[in-house]
Structure formats: structure tokens, C-alpha cells
Amino acid sequence: MSDPLPRPSDTAGDAELIASLREQLAAQNALIAEQAASLAHSQKIFDRSSKAARIGVWECTLADESLVWTDVVYDLFDQERGTPLDRAVTLQCYPEESLRALSQARNQAIEDRTGFSLETEIVTPRGNRRWIRITATVECVDGVAVRIFGMKQDITEEKIMADRNRYLAEFDAMTGLANRSRFQAKLAELGAIRATKPFGALLLIDLDEFKSVNDSCGHAAGDECLREAAERIGDICAGADLVARIGGDEFAVMLGTQLSLADISQIAAAIVAEMERPVLFRGRPLQLGASVGVAMVDDCTPTQLFAMADAALYAAKNAGRGIFRIHQPGSGQRASRPCQPHAA
């Protein structure tokens, strides 16, 4: 017996159902398209932000040491994007000290099932030196470390700026010598370290005719005199613990404990003699000269040591300049100026 023909009501119901399903499918497709567009937009923002911040994402599967990088990491290591990666080859980009620090941090993180952060240096196959910040997290399955992943960021400019700021905080920009801040920190060691002497003697050096040269010939000439004086003093005291410019035309030298009084006297005399030579500025000889005050490190505080060297310097200038004097304990010499270095 043949099937009965569908009734008109059944056909209409099926059509309505199909239409409803098509509407639902169209809505789902629209939602999927919207989500895909949103995801693509988010990916674009991520890629642009990653590129701008020089941050890339990386991961390493521990079982076979296979690597996956995003484009920025390829760029950091000067490798063509998408090329196969070999971790053993990548590790060759790390200098010995950097590789040692990376291996230690990585191994400890895997052992502890945690992570690490490290700032380290790399040298790319093209010879470019970069500083990168590595952050890593260890992923575990059933308590077993299976993967390590994180970010790598180019911090070369940040590192250069930090080093420059550190340099400016400790060194005199004009002469390249240590500045007053670093000198005071070194001088303070005298009070902090009691068991051994941090250095053996303090020399204070004042350029005798600097003010007249600066006033009569201009600041450019004065600056050249300061640079030349710094170079000469630095050459004579090449083995010193510290050579610093601590004021406008005042320098300080900290000599090591291995030197005898005769050695120190010879160095002070050499500074005086060397500064008697004129400084040439645009073909014109400028006469400076220098006076030197010396104090030996003994059982004294930093302030007392500076006061003794300052008193000896004043005695040298009072005796006619162009000479050096060594502070003699109990001599009754007193500093005529505050027992702190002058400001520039």
C-alpha cells in the first residue's frame, strides 16, 4: 500500500521549521563572523603593541626542547620569521656569563615548578648586541613540568639609559673622573670599615690660577684647563683607588695602603710639577699650577681625614702655592674652610 500524500498542514509546518533553522544558522554565522572580526582586531592590536613594545611570546616543550616563537622574538634574534628553530643554536647567542645565568634560572624554575625573570645580553648571528628581559612560567601536568613559556622583550635602549644615568650619578661629565657623590661614598667607607683601611692616603688638589684664567679667557678656556688637569692627574695616579673632581677646580685622590710616605710624597710632587706645564688653548699657553694637601689614613673619621687634608692644602697655598704639604698629627693645623668638598 503506498504512503499517504502529506497533508497541507504538515507541509506548512516543515517549511516553518526549516525557515526557523535557517534563521538560527544565519544568526550563528553572523555571531561567528562578528567574533572572528573581533578576534582579528584583537590580534592586530596585540601584534602592533607587541611590535611597538618589542615584546614577543615564546614557548619550549621540555620533552624535546622544541621552540615556538612569535615574530618579535625572531626579530630580536635577527632570524627570518617562521624558520625552524633549534634551541642549541639559539643558546649560542648568549655570552658565557649570560648563558650561565639563564641556565641557572631556568633549571631552578623547572625544579621548583615556578618561573623566573631575567635581564641578560645576547649577540645575534649578525653581531648585534642586545639586552633582553626574559619572563618565564613553568606549566605542569600531574605535577610534572612539561612546558615553559613566557615573553622576551628588547630592553637595549632602557639598559643604555639606565647605564648612562648611573654613570652621570657617579662621574663628572666634563672630566670623566669620579664625581663628588662617588668620592663621598668612598670616603664614608673609612667610617664603615674598622678592621682594615679602605685606602692609605687622601690628596686634595687645587688649581692655583684657575679663577684668573676662567675670568680672563672665558669658560671655554677654563673647561679645557679642567679637562687637561684631570687627564694629567689621572695619568700620574693611574694606580690610585679613586681620582675625583669634587668641586669647581678641586680634585681628590685616594691612594692605596701599599704606598709608603715616600711614594705618596713623590706622587704629590709629580702632580705639582706636571701642573706647572702650561695648558695650550687655541694655540695660547695658559699657566695654572697646583697646590696639594696630603693626609695619611690613621685612626680617624672621614670628616677628620678630610679636615686634615684640607688643612694641609691650605698650608700649601699659604706658603706660596705650587707646592704640597703633608698633614702632621698634632701640628695644630686647622682647615680654613668647611670640612666637606665644594660644590661645582
Side-chain angles (χ1 to χ4, degrees), residues 28 33 68 135 154 161 163 220 297 302 304-305 320-321 326 342:
Q28 289 178 348
V68 176
T135 57
D154 187 348
M161 185 64 68
D163 289 346
V297 175
Q304 290 170 337
L305 179 67
R321 303 187 177 189
I326 299 177
H342 296 299

Side-chain angles (χ1 to χ4, degrees), residues 166-184:
R166 190 178 302 110
Y167 176 86
L168 293 176
E170 296 183 352
F171 291 88
D172 176 54
M174 180 175 297
T175 64
L177 298 179
N179 62 13
R180 182 178 62 175
S181 177
R182 191 174 179 202
F183 166 78
Q184 289 177 326

